[in-house]
């Protein structure tokens, strides 16, 4: 979110912004897929079903990168067609989702211990 807002305010250029963001796309996809599979294996159905759409979206977004682009975030296209605003909205939604998951996991951990 901070990197995208820096790009929006012209504090950094599009190429450095996209290279910073693309560096974290693959670890995000792998991490979220691993967590989703672990929830399936451990039979936590509600959390698995909550994580499944986000993991599917991450994998879809990674697979559907057009050939010739630098990655999910491309410096030549980030200002076209309002992609910057959509990337900002997606980052905010993911932040909310991860905060929700954090507190659900924390509650689950505390309820198991007590």
């Amino acid at each position: 979110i901070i990197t995208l807002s820096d790009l929006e305010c012209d504090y950094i250029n599009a190429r450095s912004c996209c290279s910073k963001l693309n560096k974290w796309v693959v670890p995000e996809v792998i991490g979220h897929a691993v967590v989703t599979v672990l929830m399936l294996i451990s039979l936590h159905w509600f959390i698995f079903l909550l994580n499944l759409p986000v993991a599917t979206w991450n994998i879809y977004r990674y697979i559907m990168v057009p050939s010739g682009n630098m990655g999910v975030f491309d410096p030549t296209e980030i200002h076209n067609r309002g992609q910057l605003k959509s990337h900002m909205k997606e980052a905010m939604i993911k932040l909310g989702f991860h905060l929700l998951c954090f507190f659900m996991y924390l509650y689950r951990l505390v309820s198991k211990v007590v």
Side-chain angles (χ1 to χ4, degrees), residues 6-72:
D6 285 348
L7 177 64
E8 189 176 38
C9 295
D10 284 335
Y11 294 140
I12 59 175
N13 63 19
R15 184 167 178 82
S16 63
C17 173
C18 291
S19 67
K20 286 179 186 179
L21 294 173
N22 283 328
K23 180 175 25 174
W24 292 102
V25 170
V26 174
E28 178 187 10
V29 169
I30 292 171
H32 207 94
V34 166
V35 167
T36 304
V37 169
L38 287 175
M39 293 303 159
L40 177 64
I41 291 171
S42 65
L43 301 177
H44 290 99
W45 297 110
F46 177 72
I47 298 174
F48 166 72
L49 291 174
L50 185 70
N51 279 309
L52 187 63
V54 179
T56 306
W57 172 253
N58 284 337
I59 292 169
Y60 172 78
R61 188 176 62 140
Y62 180 70
I63 290 173
M64 296 307 288
V65 172
S67 62
N69 279 10
M70 186 174 163
V72 173

Side-chain angles (χ1 to χ4, degrees), residues 66-86:
S67 62
N69 279 10
M70 186 174 163
V72 173
F73 301 94
D74 190 55
T76 58
E77 293 184 2
I78 197 154
H79 290 295
N80 295 343
R81 295 171 293 180
Q83 280 189 358
L84 183 59
K85 291 290 184 192
S86 67

Side-chain angles (χ1 to χ4, degrees), residues 85-99:
K85 291 290 184 192
S86 67
H87 287 310
M88 283 289 284
K89 186 167 73 169
E90 180 183 344
M92 292 297 239
I93 291 169
K94 281 186 181 180
L95 176 66
F97 172 77
H98 289 301
L99 281 172

